[in-house]
Amino acid sequence: SLYKHNPVEEIAKVSIPTLIVQGDKDVQASVEDAELLATGSPNATKVIIENMNYVLKECDKVGHQNQLNTYLKPDFPLNKDLVPAITDFIFDTIDE
């Protein structure tokens, strides 16, 4: 294995609220990876964002070639649901 640590075991050590954000068009990490990671922590909130890829950009296609512009162009927009997901998590955590 190239990885020294198991993410599920590591997140289990975190005792504070944790946000797991995963795009459904991510070609490097899968929705299943995010779901597995979320099982490691009772403090985790998992958000799966439609049409978001690994670099948090709006993307409606899977595949490295289809997503090339999202990786190479810094002005390509972030997914519209990302910031609301983060702010909702922060405000929900503050209210607890």
Side-chain angles (χ1 to χ4, degrees):
S1 172
L2 296 174
Y3 301 106
K4 181 178 179 179
H5 303 283
N6 179 328
V8 176
E9 291 174 6
E10 295 303 315
I11 201 169
K13 299 173 187 176
V14 177
S15 61
I16 61 173
T18 306
L19 177 62
I20 300 169
V21 177
Q22 177 68 43
D24 72 344
K25 300 298 187 281
D26 190 329
V27 295
Q28 296 184 46
S30 68
V31 170
E32 291 79 18
D33 291 332
E35 291 170 349
L36 181 60
L37 187 60
T39 66
S41 174
N43 300 312
T45 298
K46 176 187 67 186
V47 177
I48 307 300
I49 298 180
E50 187 176 333
N51 293 326
M52 187 176 79
N53 68 1
Y54 189 77
V55 292
L56 312 175
K57 304 287 183 87
E58 185 72 28
C59 186
D60 61 357
K61 296 180 181 160
V62 177
H64 295 287
Q65 193 62 35
N66 293 327
Q67 296 188 10
L68 194 56
N69 282 337
T70 66
Y71 281 75
L72 300 177
K73 295 184 178 181
D75 59 337
F76 207 86
L78 291 173
N79 181 283
K80 64 182 174 32
D81 296 324
L82 176 63
V83 172
I86 295 169
T87 56
D88 288 348
F89 173 77
I90 291 169
F91 288 118
D92 289 347
T93 301
I94 290 171
D95 289 338
E96 290 180 0

